[in-house]
Amino acid sequence: MGNNLLKGKKGIIFGALNKDSIAWKTALQAHEDGAEFVLTNAPIAMRMGEINELAKMCNAEVIPADATSIEDLTNLFEKSMEILGGKLDFVLHSIGMSPNVRKGREYGDLNYDWFLKTLDISGLSFHKVLQTAEKTEAMNEWGSILALTYIAAQRTFPDYGDMAQAKAVLESIARSYGARFAKINKVRVNTISQSPTMTTAGSGVGGFDVFLDYAHKLSPLGNASAEDCAKYIVMMFSDYTRMVTMQNLMHDGGFSSSGITDEIIGELTK
Ligand code: NAI
């Protein structure tokens, strides 16, 4: 059950690939909470057509857009305003991909063309989304724009590879553009740093099961689920968080503040 937290609000949700996607859960939660939105993903990600299932459930239209293409993004923002009948209140950037991670390249043997792709898709695309939103004058006052990130931007995790740099760029963009958008029309820009979650992007990281289990044991509340993340996102899109901007918000069951836990001690003393 929703709480109508987003009643009357309009937006765009990037990145719902399949039912495991954090963006998929967010779309369902935002719909329950009364929002109207357009769904989007890279044209190639729509081959399986699963997004149409979600669109039906949420009464939403789908507009394909490669988040690295300014042309696609401009079309997306302009068409979304037409479809929704006005400016936007929220945007979710839920996008990540590294060819190096996907193809299992060691950190000491990276392909630099792929590294640039990682940065473009997973980092710079957030700037492109923000800049396009500004240039198309798409955002209402007090709007909220969010991107999803991971704590590997601050601490090293084996196998996260060049995604760590992309996430650091992403978080930095949220701060710089947050300062700018606040002055333009009070739009807030934040990143949410989510627990490891079993999704297509997540399971592309080597040894993900162990990683998930370790994070769960080191988090006093356990790993945050995709459903919990969706609820947090909806709250960040709501009017209850109007003064929160330029932040990297931890949504991780306490992982980032935890030194060691009894569960980890138990594992090590087995
Ligand atoms: P997912 O694989 O379901 O979503 C990633 C999405 O990025 C897919 O829908 C994919 O089509 C889209 N994408 C890739 N290239 C694109 C492009 N050029 N243009 C537009 N879209 C593109 O996986 P998940 O986990 O839901 O990922 C969403 C976000 O959450 C990502 O930013 C990810 O890094 C982040 N995150 C995920 C965690 C996890 O453990 N799964 C943990 C912390 C953050």
Side-chain angles (χ1 to χ4, degrees), residues 15-18 20-23 41-42 45 65-68 94-97 121 148-150 160 163 167 194-197 199-202 208:
L17 180 66
N18 55 34
D20 295 328
S21 301
I22 298 168
N41 209 329
D66 179 337
T68 64
S94 186
I95 297 169
M97 212 283 283
I121 295 170
L148 288 167
T149 186
Y150 185 58
Y160 204 69
M163 276 297 284
K167 291 303 192 191
Q194 162 68 6
S195 293
T197 315
T199 61
T200 305
F208 195 68

Side-chain angles (χ1 to χ4, degrees):
M1 266 291 290
N3 295 292
N4 275 332
L5 277 187
L6 302 185
K7 199 169 165 48
K9 296 205 184 290
K10 304 170 197 297
I12 298 176
I13 297 179
F14 287 81
L17 180 66
N18 55 34
K19 63 174 179 20
D20 295 328
S21 301
I22 298 168
W24 185 287
K25 315 270 187 201
T26 305
L28 291 176
Q29 188 65 50
H31 177 63
E32 268 196 47
D33 268 282
E36 283 175 78
F37 47 84
V38 164
L39 293 168
T40 182
N41 209 329
I44 195 168
M46 293 184 175
R47 275 172 316 182
M48 311 308 282
E50 288 177 68
I51 199 169
N52 297 323
E53 228 180 276
L54 177 67
K56 249 191 218 152
M57 289 192 269
C58 300
N59 201 15
E61 290 207 30
V62 180
I63 302 177
D66 179 337
T68 64
S69 156
I70 296 294
E71 197 187 331
D72 283 10
L73 289 173
T74 305
N75 175 62
L76 169 68
F77 275 90
E78 285 173 348
K79 289 244 168 73
S80 296
M81 285 190 280
E82 270 173 45
I83 291 168
L84 297 168
K87 294 193 184 204
L88 312 176
D89 305 291
F90 64 87
V91 177
L92 175 66
H93 176 289
S94 186
I95 297 169
M97 212 283 283
S98 159
N100 279 307
V101 170
R102 190 175 274 189
K103 291 176 186 161
R105 293 291 282 248
E106 290 269 335
Y107 198 65
D109 184 34
L110 293 184
N111 174 313
Y112 289 111
D113 288 333
W114 294 350
F115 197 159
L116 288 172
K117 269 217 152 86
T118 304
L119 291 175
D120 195 17
I121 295 170
S122 312
L124 258 61
S125 67
F126 192 39
H127 194 283
K128 292 178 178 175
V129 165
L130 288 156
Q131 187 164 295
T132 308
E134 179 185 335
K135 288 195 173 167
T136 55
E137 297 181 14
M139 296 306 294
N140 276 322
E141 272 207 351
W142 298 108
S144 176
I145 304 181
L146 280 176
L148 288 167
T149 186
Y150 185 58
I151 196 170
Q154 287 82 33
R155 301 192 201 162
T156 57
F157 291 83
D159 298 327
Y160 204 69
D162 55 4
M163 276 297 284
Q165 278 71 64
K167 291 303 192 191
V169 167
L170 181 85
E171 292 174 17
S172 175
I173 289 169
R175 283 186 291 274
S176 297
Y177 226 115
R180 182 177 172 85
F181 239 140
K183 290 295 175 198
I184 296 171
N185 60 344
K186 300 186 167 59
V187 169
R188 56 204 192 275
V189 184
N190 294 287
T191 49
I192 291 182
S193 188
Q194 162 68 6
S195 293
T197 315
M198 200 44 100
T199 61
T200 305
S203 50
V205 179
F208 195 68
D209 285 351
V210 179
F211 202 50
L212 205 81
D213 185 42
Y214 173 75
H216 189 66
K217 291 190 166 116
L218 192 61
S219 308
L221 285 176
N223 285 334
S225 68
E227 286 83 1
D228 284 320
C229 190
K231 291 193 174 109
Y232 191 34
I233 291 167
V234 163
M235 189 197 71
M236 287 303 301
F237 286 160
S238 83
D239 289 333
Y240 288 156
T241 54
R242 297 213 307 184
M243 298 306 284
V244 183
T245 195
M246 302 158 64
Q247 302 299 314
N248 181 39
L249 305 161
M250 295 298 176
H251 186 256
D252 63 359
F255 178 86
S256 48
S257 291
S258 186
I260 196 160
T261 55
D262 288 339
E263 286 81 352
I264 297 286
I265 292 169
E267 283 291 315
L268 295 174
T269 51
K270 250 194 215 164

